[in-house]
């Protein structure tokens, strides 16, 4: 893997000149403008601090960006990750978040070493879309308190949080609510052309900050932002003990799963946008190393961010230096602007996250599956989305995948089976003397022959009563499992008790290999397996005669 990394780096920087450097530098500045408000917002929404969000973005930009599987990936704190971290924070505190993040880093490294980078391709698109929408809801729900300037009972579940919020008499801080609404309106009406120069989220925060500093409004603010790269509150080796490791193991797996899904999806999107290569397994290792290191500086778990990555590519990014440049500019912002940024109202950050959550939804995919009325896809989307809001994020993905698998099994279980007599007009040869074709039946079927279809197939064949030879044409069977082989064995015994023989023909290679390996071919007799139905029919005629 090291050799391929070095090779890719050489190819990436081949012919690199001053013009490419300027493009990377300008793209880095553009990405910083997008990343700064989001780093502050996601740091706070994770249960940590704005400073923790900045530290996360800086370290992710340098460490993960340098080791990334693609030249375009921009990593940092994200909305999806903050949705899972806030529940973890409420239960275990910041120390639990840090330890879970470090463990998740080790899990990601192991996943990369085991080459699990292709795992995301096995998750159906409606499940990913539902998962993303569920996370968007969690982010929005988690910001209700800051948006309205109130404090309601905390909860590990977003669904329960909604109930707590609406069951409590609402007495909003009208100053906070006004600021939140103002930021939302600014972000929604800000022209797209200008957004490519100055992001709407940054403008919204600047205006909200200016109003707050001028009028000194009675609203909650970010508070002090330490001007240091290593925060006072951070993970230490002494924090690790067996009890806490056991407690946060499941959340760590959730964090690792989320980082894997987001980073690899981001990589696939970026690869198509830039037309570049992407090494999924190396990306997992890069994310793992970064997430293991970040907690020791006081940051929170990070992942690749699709929005920031797409901004980098659209801004003309050439190499992974863009990620590092954006980290440097974020660091300069922290050291130079910390006293000013500390006065940003939390309601303004809530407004940014509300709009971000709305835009997170994959509206194009949602519109497609609902407008085309794909019932299966709609069910997958809704079940995954509601499971994400009500349950653990990893459980939601599993539920979505399991439900999708069940739907798929049900769909392919409706295999097409047809039983026909031999039509002598279709034979390209003369019929043998005695013409025994009426005693031969050919069974055609298409689709996989496995545990869900084996019983139906067996019953259909056993329903044939007036034949001395039954030929099973398996050219349309792409695979077979042991349950189907067992059903075939039982079927042969019952058929032979009726003084009838079974023949097979048209076996595809995967099916033939398993039949040979299982010993079923020996039991049936190798002289009863043929390449074509015509060969089988000719042998059957001779056998009957």
């Amino acid at each position: 893997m090291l050799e391929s990394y070095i090779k890719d780096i050489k190819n990436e920087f081949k012919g690199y000149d001053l013009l490419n450097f300027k493009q990377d530098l300008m793209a880095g500045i553009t990405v910083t403008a997008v990343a700064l408000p989001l780093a502050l917002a996601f740091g706070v929404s994770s249960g940590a601090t704005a400073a923790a969000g900045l530290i996360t973005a800086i370290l992710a930009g340098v460490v993960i960006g340098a080791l990334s599987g693609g030249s375009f990936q921009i990593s940092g704190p994200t909305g999806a990750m903050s949705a899972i971290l806030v529940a973890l924070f409420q239960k275990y505190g910041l120390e639990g978040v840090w330890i879970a993040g470090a463990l998740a880093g080790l899990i990601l490294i192991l996943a990369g070493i085991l080459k699990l980078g292709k795992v995301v391709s096995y998750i159906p698109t409606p499940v990913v879309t539902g998962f993303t929408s569920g996370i968007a809801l969690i982010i929005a729900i988690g910001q209700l308190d800051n948006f309205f300037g109130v404090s309601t009972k905390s909860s590990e579940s977003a669904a329960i949080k909604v109930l707590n919020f609406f069951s409590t008499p609402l007495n909003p801080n009208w100053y906070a609510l006004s600021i939140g609404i103002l930021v939302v309106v600014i972000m929604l009406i800000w022209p797209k052309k200008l957004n490519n120069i100055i992001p709407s989220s940054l403008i919204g925060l600047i205006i909200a900050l200016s109003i707050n500093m001028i009028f000194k409004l009675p609203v909650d603010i970010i508070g002090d932002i330490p001007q240091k790269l290593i925060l006072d509150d951070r993970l230490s080796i002494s924090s690790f003990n067996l009890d806490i490791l056991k407690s946060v193991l499941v959340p760590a797996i959730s964090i690792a799963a989320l980082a894997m899904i987001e980073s690899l999806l981001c990589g696939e999107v970026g690869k198509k946008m830039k037309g570049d290569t992407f090494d999924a397994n190396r990306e997992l290792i890069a994310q793992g190393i970064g997430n293991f290191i970040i907690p020791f500086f006081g940051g929170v778990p990070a992942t690749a961010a699709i929005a920031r990555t797409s901004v980098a590519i659209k801004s003309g990014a050439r190499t992974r230096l863009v990620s590092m440049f954006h980290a440097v500019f974020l660091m300069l912002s922290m050291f130079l602007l910390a006293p000013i940024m500390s006065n940003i109202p939390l309601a303004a950050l809530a407004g940014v996250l509300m709009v971000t959550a709305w835009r997170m939804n994959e509206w194009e995919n949602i519109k497609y599956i609902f407008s085309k009325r794909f019932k299966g896809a709609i069910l997958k989307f809704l079940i995954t989305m509601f499971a994400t809001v009500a349950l653990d994020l990893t459980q939601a993905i599993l539920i979505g995948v399991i439900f999708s698998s069940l739907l798929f099994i049900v769909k392919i279980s409706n295999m097409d089976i047809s039983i026909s007599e031999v039509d002598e007009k279709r034979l390209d040869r003369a019929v043998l003397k005695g013409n025994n074709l009426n005693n031969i039946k050919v069974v055609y079927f298409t689709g996989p022959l496995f545990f869900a279809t084996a019983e139906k197939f067996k019953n259909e064949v056993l329903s044939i009563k007036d034949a001395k030879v039954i030929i099973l044409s398996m050219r349309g069977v792409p695979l077979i499992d042991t349950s189907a082989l067992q059903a075939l064995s039982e079927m042969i015994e019952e058929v032979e008790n009726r003084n009838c023989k079974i023949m097979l023909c048209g076996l595809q290679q995967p099916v033939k290999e398993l039949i040979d390996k299982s010993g079923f071919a020996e039991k049936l007799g190798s002289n009863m397996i043929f390449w074509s139905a015509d060969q089988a029919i000719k042998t059957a005629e001779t056998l009957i005669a």
Side-chain angles (χ1 to χ4, degrees):
M1 191 168 285
L2 180 60
E3 290 180 2
S4 65
Y5 171 73
I6 294 172
K7 181 181 177 182
D8 286 348
I9 290 293
K10 287 180 179 179
N11 290 332
E12 187 177 327
F13 286 91
K14 187 176 181 180
Y16 196 77
D17 55 17
L18 183 60
L19 179 61
N20 289 323
F21 177 83
K22 289 180 180 178
Q23 286 181 302
D24 280 345
L25 186 65
M26 293 308 297
I29 294 173
T30 305
V31 174
T32 303
V34 175
L36 180 59
L38 294 179
L40 296 171
F42 292 140
V44 173
S45 65
S46 296
T49 61
L54 281 173
I55 292 295
T56 303
I58 292 168
L59 290 175
V62 175
V63 178
I64 301 177
L67 302 174
S68 174
S71 63
F72 44 79
Q73 291 276 74
I74 307 294
S75 296
T78 63
M81 191 60 78
S82 68
I84 194 173
L85 295 180
V86 67
L88 184 60
F89 168 76
Q90 290 170 359
K91 190 170 184 179
Y92 299 105
L94 264 180
E95 190 172 82
V97 172
W98 293 327
I99 294 174
L103 275 179
L106 295 177
I107 293 170
L108 285 167
I109 293 172
L110 181 62
I113 292 172
L114 295 176
K115 300 187 183 301
L116 300 181
K118 289 292 183 183
V119 69
V120 173
S121 62
Y122 299 118
I123 302 176
T125 300
V127 172
V128 175
T129 304
F131 181 66
T132 304
S133 295
I135 288 173
L137 281 172
I138 292 175
I139 293 170
I141 292 167
Q143 292 305 306
L144 288 174
D145 283 6
N146 288 337
F147 193 80
F148 285 90
V150 298
S151 179
T152 59
K153 186 179 179 181
S154 61
S155 172
E156 295 178 25
S157 168
I160 297 176
K161 176 69 177 178
V162 172
L163 294 176
N164 290 340
F165 184 83
F166 288 104
S167 63
T168 304
L170 191 61
N171 185 23
N173 179 329
W174 293 105
Y175 294 106
L177 181 58
S178 299
I179 287 176
I181 293 174
L182 175 64
V183 171
V184 169
V185 171
I186 290 170
M187 290 184 68
L188 292 178
I189 67 172
W190 190 251
K192 288 185 178 180
K193 291 182 179 179
L194 292 178
N195 199 56
N196 294 328
I197 303 171
I198 305 177
S200 59
S201 56
L202 185 59
I203 288 296
L205 288 188
I206 290 173
I207 293 175
L209 171 63
S210 302
I211 291 172
N212 188 45
M213 292 185 72
I214 293 170
F215 296 103
K216 306 293 182 182
L217 301 176
V219 294
D220 292 331
I221 58 176
I222 288 177
D224 291 337
I225 299 176
Q227 294 170 292
K228 56 178 70 173
L229 284 177
I230 303 178
L231 302 180
D232 294 334
D233 293 327
R234 62 184 187 275
L235 179 63
S236 63
I237 298 297
S238 60
S239 301
F240 289 91
N241 62 71
L242 191 58
D243 290 336
I244 190 70
L245 288 175
K246 288 180 179 178
S247 300
V248 301
L249 179 59
V250 173
I253 294 172
S254 298
I255 292 171
L258 181 59
M260 179 184 295
I261 293 167
E262 258 208 298
S263 298
L264 297 184
L265 285 176
C266 180
E268 290 301 314
V269 171
K271 180 176 71 173
K272 293 175 183 176
M273 287 182 65
K274 193 179 178 186
D276 207 346
T277 59
F278 177 69
D279 189 319
N281 295 312
R282 192 196 307 150
E283 180 66 27
L284 292 181
I285 293 176
Q287 294 290 337
I289 293 173
N291 277 295
F292 180 76
I293 292 173
I294 288 171
F296 292 97
F297 287 79
V300 295
T303 179
I306 294 177
R308 276 156 271 179
T309 297
S310 62
V311 167
I313 296 172
K314 290 176 182 177
S315 301
R318 288 291 178 266
T319 68
R320 65 190 67 225
L321 285 180
V322 172
S323 179
M324 299 178 196
F325 285 147
H326 116 279
V328 171
F329 290 125
L330 284 175
M331 183 172 61
L332 290 174
S333 300
M334 183 176 69
F335 283 118
L336 298 176
L337 303 176
I340 298 174
M341 292 191 297
S342 64
N343 291 295
I344 295 175
L346 291 180
L349 292 182
V352 169
L353 290 175
M354 289 285 190
V355 178
T356 301
W358 173 261
R359 291 173 175 171
M360 274 180 64
N361 287 280
E362 298 175 4
W363 293 113
E364 188 175 337
N365 286 342
I366 294 171
K367 181 182 178 181
Y368 178 72
I369 62 176
F370 276 88
S371 64
K372 300 300 180 181
R373 298 181 181 178
F374 295 134
K375 294 180 182 178
I378 292 172
L379 281 173
K380 294 173 196 175
F381 168 80
L382 293 175
I383 287 173
T384 307
M385 182 179 71
F386 287 122
T388 302
V389 174
L391 304 172
D392 175 79
L393 300 184
T394 309
Q395 292 175 336
I397 282 286
L398 288 175
I399 289 171
V401 171
I402 290 171
F403 179 73
S404 300
S405 301
L406 289 175
L407 280 184
F408 179 73
I409 290 172
V410 170
K411 187 174 181 179
I412 65 174
S413 295
N414 297 320
M415 66 185 308
D416 183 29
I417 301 175
S418 62
I419 302 170
S420 66
E421 297 182 351
V422 179
D423 184 356
E424 62 180 272
K425 294 179 181 179
R426 296 179 60 185
L427 294 176
D428 58 355
R429 57 175 175 77
V431 178
L432 293 186
K433 187 178 179 180
N435 193 350
N436 292 300
L437 296 180
N438 290 335
N439 294 315
I440 302 171
K441 293 291 188 292
V442 183
V443 181
Y444 298 93
F445 50 99
T446 56
L449 194 53
F450 66 121
F451 62 88
T453 58
E455 194 64 26
K456 177 183 178 181
F457 168 71
K458 175 184 171 183
N459 292 335
E460 288 283 350
V461 174
L462 291 178
S463 67
I464 302 172
K465 304 295 184 182
D466 56 344
K468 293 184 178 180
V469 175
I470 299 175
I471 300 171
L472 308 180
S473 178
M474 302 180 70
R475 200 170 299 281
V477 179
L479 61 89
I480 190 170
D481 72 353
T482 53
S483 297
L485 285 176
Q486 181 64 32
L488 275 173
S489 297
E490 294 171 358
M491 183 180 65
I492 288 172
E493 291 180 7
E494 292 189 43
V495 168
E496 288 184 343
N497 288 335
R498 304 176 187 171
N499 196 27
C500 181
K501 294 291 184 182
I502 293 285
M503 291 180 177
L504 305 182
C505 71
L507 302 183
Q508 293 192 33
Q509 191 60 31
V511 177
K512 185 178 184 303
E513 288 176 359
L514 186 58
I515 283 179
D516 291 339
K517 185 178 180 181
S518 66
F520 178 80
E522 295 179 11
K523 181 177 181 179
L524 180 64
S526 58
N527 61 330
M528 304 295 275
I529 301 176
F530 305 88
W531 169 245
S532 67
D534 184 70
Q535 292 175 347
I537 293 168
K538 185 174 181 180
T539 303
E541 288 181 275
T542 304
L543 187 65
I544 295 172

